[in-house]
Amino acid sequence: EAGVTQSPTHLIKTRGQQATLRCSPISGHTSVYWYQQALGLGLQFLLWYDEGEERNRGNFPPRFSGRQFPNYSSELNVNALELEDSALYLCASSWGLAGDNEQFFGPGTRLTVL
Amino acid sequence: KNEVEQSPQNLTAQEGEFITINCSYSVGISALHWLQQHPGGGIVSLFMLSSGKKKHGRLIATINIQEKHSSLHITASHPRDSAVYICAVRSSSNTGKLIFGQGTTLQVKP
């Protein structure tokens, strides 16, 4: 069974540009979660999608947005990039809307903003 | 004060030693996760538990809901266990999000 996949592995952008990160969940999983791991700050919750709807978001500005497609894959978009957006972005998936189910993580996308 | 606190932050052990990493939390939870992150960033879910104890190979995780505390034990540690171990809790308000501890960096020396 294929795990959670993310693309690209690495992404280099300059300040002010937009970044798009992609995530494909494990087959059968309907929930996708996005997390940011900035250097020295630990993991922080960004967004939760289930069945195509945003269910919850963390304390991030509106520049961070995303969507979930009918096949349950997801995109994270970061507009007007700032230097502090440089981080590892992790996607996780789980089945069911309960939010209590185990999450399986992808390998991450490392975003560097110059 | 962070909602999830781990101790120690850094841990160095000799191969074969028994290792304990602790996690305390201050919120009501529906589940607690132990995660392992290797250099390069990939995260592996080790355990998800809401009560009692779970064992997988040389790893054991326990949780005491009343005391709001969990421990991750590694028996007969090996250099390949070197990684960052992260405790994460899901609040009982069912927001879907995980609240993470700051992680414990473990180095096991041969």
Side-chain angles (χ1 to χ4, degrees), chain A residues 30-34 45-69 74-77 97, chain B residues 95-96:
Chain A
T30 61
S31 276
V32 170
Y33 310 80
W34 287 96
F45 168 74
L46 259 170
L47 289 159
W48 171 30
Y49 291 97
D50 186 88
E51 295 286 359
E53 293 190 20
E54 183 180 299
R55 300 293 179 176
N56 197 8
R57 67 179 290 131
N59 295 326
F60 283 84
R63 304 187 291 108
F64 290 82
S65 65
R67 53 180 173 165
Q68 187 179 32
F69 300 99
S74 176
E75 265 183 9
L76 173 69
N77 295 293
L97 181 58
Chain B
T95 59

